[in-house]
Structures are given as structure tokens and as C-alpha cells.
Amino acid sequence: MEPLDPAVPGLLHGGRLEVTGRIVNASNATLICDIEGDGVRARCVYKPIRGERPLWDFPDGTLADREYASYLLAEAFAPDGEPIVPPTVLREGPFGPGMVQLWIDTDEEHELVDVRAPGEVPDGWLTVLRARDSLGEPALLVHADHPDLQRMAVLDVLLNNADRKAGHVLSSCDGRVYGVDHGICLHEEDKLRTVLWGWVGQRLPTELRATVRAVRHELDNGLCSKLGEHLTRRELRALSERVDGLLTRPRFPEPSGYGPAIPWPAF
């Protein structure tokens, strides 16, 4: 099912969930489900709140709300009508309330973030980090210079995404790029950790500056109230400050220096 299919919202909210598997390497309980309703069927991801692993720096039981709040912000950040984040809802499920998100089929032959030897970096790709592999050979963390990745990088700045791993960047079978796993976003303190640092210091393209202005408009016209059901006042204030900061200085930021700039593991 395509994310823009008009049946998706109703299906995610009201469809019957049947658990068919689990992503075992996820930090929190992440269940794969079939969802069906009114003759429509799709696959989705279900993350029950009771399966969230406690974190020292995020309040317990808030990750599902942060996933949904991230989707709401991604909607405001979608000038073409299709958010970078797949359709996401909060609802009851087989193991209690949690986040339900449409599954995205991926094209594994078109990865957009990778580790390559210095002589094997594709033309046009951007270098994020220079390191050495387990054998002591030089290795580079790189990503494509792709407009959808640029959009994701700017959205991550607004989300204050603390966990943009390479595995959270999905290249879909229809050629779109999606970001997933936004449970540790929207903290009031600066926690941006990402593999998408390739444009550091560059000026935001005109269309992305316009998109940030559109987000400011949405925040002033109802979005803050919606987000306020899932975030604290301090978190909302910090979000507003990040938006205004990008409008004042419309450049891709540098790492803050107050913690690791890249999540671990990076993939």
C-alpha cells in the first residue's frame, strides 16, 4: 500500500492488528504486523509503550508520543504532500497502546549511507567521517548528495534527532526516501546525533528555507497545540527556538561539541 493512499489513515487507526514477527535487533519492542480493515490489508510496525526500554535522559513511556509528534512535524515539513516519515498513528494494539506506522518496502540495492574505502566512494557522495576498519585499513562514512537526504537532515535539526542511524534511512522501492525510528527526538536539550553531516556549514537551498518558514507558520496556527498533547512546554519551546534559529541562520549546523555527533552504532 502506498503511503499517500487515502485509505491509509483509516486503516492505521481502526484496522485489526495481527502480529507476524519482531525486529529482534531493535532497542525497544518492535513488532511487525498485518493490519486489515474494510477489505484493505497492509503491513505495519507496532511499538507498544510497555515494550519501551527505559533511558536515562528521556522520560519513561514517552517514545511512542515522540514518534507521533515527529510525524506531525514531518507533515508540516512536506511541501509535496508526502512526509519523509511514513504515516504514523497512536492507538491500542494487542499489547496495549503504542505507535503504529505503515511498513515501507525497501530497495536494498540503493543504499544512501555506507562505509567505503577511500578509493571506492561513488562520485558525488559526501564524506562524514574518516576512520579505520577492524583490520586497520582506512574507511570513510559517506552518504549520497541527495535532495531527499538534505530534507531529512534539516528535519532532523528541527526534531533534534538523537538517533539518525544509517539503518533509519530507507530507500523505498518506489524511489522515495523515508526516515524511521524517531522515538528519541524532540528533547529540550541539544542531542542531535546523525550520519547526515555531509552539508555542514552550507547554506540551505531556497526551497528548504521556504519549508522551514512553512513550519513556523504551522506552529503558529495550531500545530503547537497538537504537539502539546505529546510534548512538554519546555520541549515545545526548544522546538520553536530551533525553527527560529534556522530561519535566522539558514545553514546546515555543525555538531555542538557537547556529546557524540554520530549515533552508536552508526548502522
Side-chain angles (χ1 to χ4, degrees):
M1 174 173 280
E2 297 296 326
L4 287 181
D5 190 314
V8 167
L11 179 64
L12 291 181
H13 278 288
R16 182 177 62 85
L17 289 170
E18 178 184 354
V19 178
T20 60
R22 179 176 181 177
I23 300 177
V24 295
N25 60 348
S27 299
N28 304 290
T30 303
L31 307 177
I32 301 171
C33 299
D34 286 337
I35 186 167
E36 185 173 7
D38 295 328
V40 181
R41 187 179 182 91
R43 180 177 289 182
C44 65
V45 173
Y46 163 48
K47 297 182 182 180
I49 293 174
R50 68 171 64 177
E52 294 179 4
R53 178 172 59 88
L55 299 171
W56 70 269
D57 55 345
F58 280 80
D60 293 350
T62 67
L63 304 192
D65 279 279
R66 294 175 192 280
E67 293 252 24
Y68 182 58
S70 296
Y71 174 68
L72 292 178
L73 193 64
E75 280 191 308
F77 199 81
D80 61 354
E82 184 168 2
I84 292 172
V85 180
T88 306
V89 302
L90 292 176
R91 57 163 287 179
E92 286 287 335
F95 299 102
M99 182 280 288
V100 173
Q101 185 175 83
L102 187 69
W103 178 269
I104 300 296
D105 290 320
T106 59
D107 182 352
E108 296 183 0
E109 294 184 359
H110 290 86
E111 298 293 342
L112 296 172
V113 185
D114 206 351
V115 173
R116 298 288 183 94
E120 298 176 356
V121 178
D123 290 341
W125 280 45
L126 305 174
T127 298
V128 174
L129 177 69
R130 299 177 186 274
R132 292 189 179 273
D133 63 19
S134 59
L135 300 177
E137 297 297 324
L140 304 177
L141 175 63
V142 295
H143 65 71
D145 188 5
H146 192 291
D148 284 346
L149 285 188
Q150 275 198 329
R151 288 178 60 202
M152 188 179 296
V154 176
L155 178 61
D156 281 345
V157 174
L158 302 186
L159 289 174
N160 194 20
N161 192 346
D163 197 34
R164 178 62 74 200
K165 293 180 171 69
H168 299 169
V169 179
L170 306 184
S171 180
S172 73
C173 292
D174 64 2
R176 301 280 303 192
V177 177
Y178 294 93
V180 296
D181 286 319
H182 297 94
I184 50 175
C185 288
L186 294 162
H187 200 283
E188 63 190 85
E189 299 174 2
D190 187 358
K191 291 184 178 291
L192 183 61
R193 294 191 290 266
T194 176
V195 295
L196 302 179
W197 288 112
W199 300 280
V200 164
Q202 294 185 25
R203 187 170 176 82
L204 266 60
T206 301
E207 61 272 20
L208 283 177
R209 298 198 299 272
T211 301
V212 177
R213 286 195 296 272
V215 171
R216 175 75 271 170
H217 175 80
E218 292 297 320
L219 287 172
D220 293 338
N221 290 274
L223 180 57
C224 259
S225 296
K226 291 182 181 179
L227 292 173
E229 299 176 14
H230 310 282
L231 304 172
T232 68
R233 289 182 179 179
R234 288 184 177 181
E235 289 165 346
L236 282 174
R237 188 181 306 117
L239 166 61
S240 185
E241 290 172 354
R242 290 192 296 272
V243 173
D244 290 342
L246 266 188
L247 290 175
T248 301
R249 188 177 186 276
R251 293 185 180 276
F252 290 91
E254 298 178 356
S256 69
Y258 291 106
I262 296 173
W264 183 260
F267 283 80

